[in-house]
DNA sequence: CTGCTAATTAGCAAAAATGCTAATTAGGGT
DNA sequence: ACCCTAATTAGCATTTTTGCTAATTAGCAG
């Protein structure tokens, strides 16, 4: 759901997590180590991101590997860009043709 | 501030307001008329958007005209797109050159 | 099974967001 | 001055979010 995505993006720590995941998949513990907040707090941020499907989690034996889900991020970015273009109220069929 | 922007975008009504503003500048009252929520509630949503500089407000005599600020929206979209590209840890100087 | 590490879930308190009604400000018009 | 409409601000209650510590689950090693 679109709303969960923007809600998830509304906390700076969660955007920071996504930024860290740009470097590649990361273990939950490695992510937590980058922040001042407690582990359980990080864990919940990750859960929020997972709920929004902005990340995926895969257990690797003892630990859990988080991966960014770029397609959902793309959709969010596209939604924002969609708010920029002027809506001239034209017939959508004609609009698609131009 | 970047954070205020994403906070502002996290509420569906506010994204809806921005969507309505795609059609062009709108009076606060016309915007409020599109929603089920009370006027003061709408007024606060508008204030949040204004704080984030996602919209501007100009008094036109008796009423107030709201306009979308696309540049802030662009920055937000760009920030999201920035989270997508893989960070390979390369020297930023080289990276800028490619 | 016991012990150890990794991570999550439970439960709580504090802070922030939401949304309402009532009161207020701002700008005309008469 | 008075009144009317447009919009915001005040004040309050409810809900959601945040973040902590303590307790729990999950997997692996011995």
């Amino acid at each position: 759901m679109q709303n969960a995505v923007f809600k998830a993006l509304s906390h700076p720590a969660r955007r920071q997590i996504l930024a860290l995941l740009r470097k590649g998949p990361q273990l939950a513990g490695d992510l937590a180590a980058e922040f001042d907040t407690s582990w359980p707090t990080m864990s919940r941020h990750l859960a929020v991101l997972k709920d929004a499907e902005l990340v995926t989690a895969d257990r690797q034996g003892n630990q859990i590997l988080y991966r960014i889900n770029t397609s959902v991020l793309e959709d969010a970015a596209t939604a924002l860009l969609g708010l920029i273009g002027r809506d001239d109220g034209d017939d959508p069929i004609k609009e698609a043709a131009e």
Side-chain angles (χ1 to χ4, degrees), chain A residues 12-86:
Chain A
R14 291 193 289 259
R15 293 196 300 279
Q16 185 94 34
I17 290 170
L18 293 176
L20 288 171
L21 288 176
R22 287 183 57 204
K23 295 209 278 283
Q26 307 264 338
L27 299 171
D30 292 344
L31 289 170
E34 304 270 354
F35 292 80
D36 283 341
T37 58
S38 71
W39 253 48
T41 294
M42 278 301 293
S43 195
R44 190 157 49 181
H45 281 313
L46 288 168
V48 170
L49 289 169
K50 189 149 63 84
D51 263 16
E53 295 181 272
L54 280 161
V55 303
T56 58
D58 294 290
R59 185 170 277 279
Q60 308 269 309
N62 211 6
Q63 31 211 359
I64 297 184
L65 191 66
Y66 280 89
R67 245 181 277 269
I68 198 169
N69 182 354
T70 54
S71 71
V72 171
L73 260 178
E74 272 176 53
D75 291 348
T78 301
L80 291 191
L81 291 173
L83 291 175
I84 292 176
R86 184 170 223 80

